[in-house]
Amino acid sequence: MEWLLNLAEEYRAGIRSGRFFRELERIKKPEEVKGWIHQLYYQSRDFTSALSMRYAMCKDPRFQGCFAKHAMEEVDHCDQLLAWMRKHNFLAPNESPTHTLPTLETSLVSAYCFRSVLRESYAHQVIAMNLISEGVSYDFFSAVNPKLKSLGLSVGHYWQVHKEIDQQHLALGLDLIPQCEKDSDEGQIYTQTAWEMATLYQKMLDSWSEIPSTQFVAQTNQKTIPALF
């Protein structure tokens, strides 16, 4: 469906023009990426878990191969990221990656992906977790990898593989979902799914650009939850 690919690109273009990508261009020191690197850990951990769960729960033979391929190609990405974080001292040798809390917006992206697997159609899952998620991921790594290199940080397998395969993953499964026109009832549902997922990614990345001034550090000894108001 060419119209759906074009719509996704339109949404992604809006994200690429957002605050995170503007702030990324201004980064001059390696330590300035520390905030969002920790958020990337949560996004990577939960997304790969959602992919594995999607395959495990899939009962339609038409989608099983597609979902298995996607899950298998990403299963070790979080471990690769953690190794890279420790190598570059973004994590101390014995420090837990959950010492820094995820932003609410990061958690909402993960929650939407898990909800898609648990409650929504295969078409919804393909649009949310392939077309939009992998499209945004491709844009993210296309911009981040050169920046890391310019800061003197190595861009190993974890970073390069995303740049290479996310563009393939974004179209994975699109040929399997019911084909429709944009103005059809089904097309409107597809549009809504793409918009929701893209909006959540936009808000997540915006939250990452604010982290240097507001670190979210877990208070493991805290006995009570602070009041919101």
Side-chain angles (χ1 to χ4, degrees):
M1 284 177 288
E2 193 68 23
W3 70 266
L4 188 55
L5 286 167
N6 291 338
L7 180 67
E9 172 54 33
E10 178 184 333
Y11 290 156
R12 287 166 50 200
I15 295 172
R16 291 195 301 268
S17 67
R19 192 186 317 158
F20 174 83
F21 290 93
R22 295 196 302 270
E23 292 299 323
L24 182 68
E25 293 180 359
R26 300 189 182 106
I27 288 177
K28 302 296 183 184
K29 301 176 182 179
E31 56 266 29
E32 293 181 77
V33 308
K34 184 175 182 179
W36 60 257
I37 286 291
H38 283 263
Q39 297 302 308
L40 184 61
Y41 159 76
Y42 284 104
Q43 197 277 333
S44 178
R45 182 196 68 177
D46 290 348
F47 188 69
T48 54
S49 295
L51 292 177
S52 296
M53 186 171 71
R54 178 172 72 164
Y55 168 62
M57 294 183 64
C58 181
K59 301 184 185 304
D60 188 332
R62 295 177 304 155
F63 288 88
Q64 285 173 346
C66 164
F67 291 171
K69 173 180 171 64
H70 196 177
M72 289 178 62
E73 290 182 347
E74 302 225 16
V75 67
D76 61 346
H77 284 183
C78 187
D79 290 336
Q80 292 174 10
L81 175 59
L82 283 176
W84 184 91
M85 290 170 69
R86 296 192 193 284
K87 175 182 177 181
H88 291 283
N89 299 317
F90 291 113
L91 275 177
N94 297 317
E95 181 183 359
S96 169
T98 60
H99 178 68
T100 300
L101 295 175
T103 66
L104 176 61
E105 293 82 359
T106 301
S107 295
L108 287 175
V109 167
S110 297
Y112 190 93
C113 290
F114 283 121
R115 178 183 177 276
S116 181
V117 173
L118 291 170
R119 302 289 297 177
E120 302 295 347
S121 68
Y122 295 127
H124 189 286
Q125 294 173 35
V126 167
I127 294 168
M129 299 172 66
N130 288 91
L131 181 62
I132 300 299
S133 292
E134 294 292 357
V136 171
S137 181
Y138 175 77
D139 296 336
F140 175 86
F141 287 98
S142 294
V144 164
N145 289 7
K147 174 57 69 173
L148 294 180
K149 288 181 180 179
S150 73
L151 296 173
L153 298 170
S154 65
V155 182
H157 182 70
Y158 170 81
W159 302 95
Q160 291 295 347
V161 74
H162 277 284
K163 179 69 165 56
E164 294 166 3
I165 68 173
D166 286 349
Q167 197 170 27
Q168 301 170 26
H169 284 169
L170 74 87
L172 202 60
L174 278 180
D175 59 327
L176 300 176
I177 68 177
Q179 306 296 291
C180 63
E181 297 298 324
K182 183 176 182 179
D183 294 332
S184 67
D185 290 343
E186 196 71 23
Q188 293 302 304
I189 293 173
Y190 289 1
T191 297
Q192 179 71 16
T193 301
W195 177 82
E196 289 174 351
M197 189 81 268
T199 299
L200 288 173
Y201 272 109
Q202 173 77 74
K203 292 181 180 298
M204 180 187 80
L205 290 173
D206 282 351
S207 77
W208 292 10
S209 69
E210 300 168 356
I211 288 175
S213 60
T214 55
Q215 289 291 329
F216 293 78
V217 179
Q219 300 296 321
T220 55
N221 296 322
Q222 190 169 306
K223 301 301 183 182
T224 59
I225 298 174
L228 292 176
F229 305 103

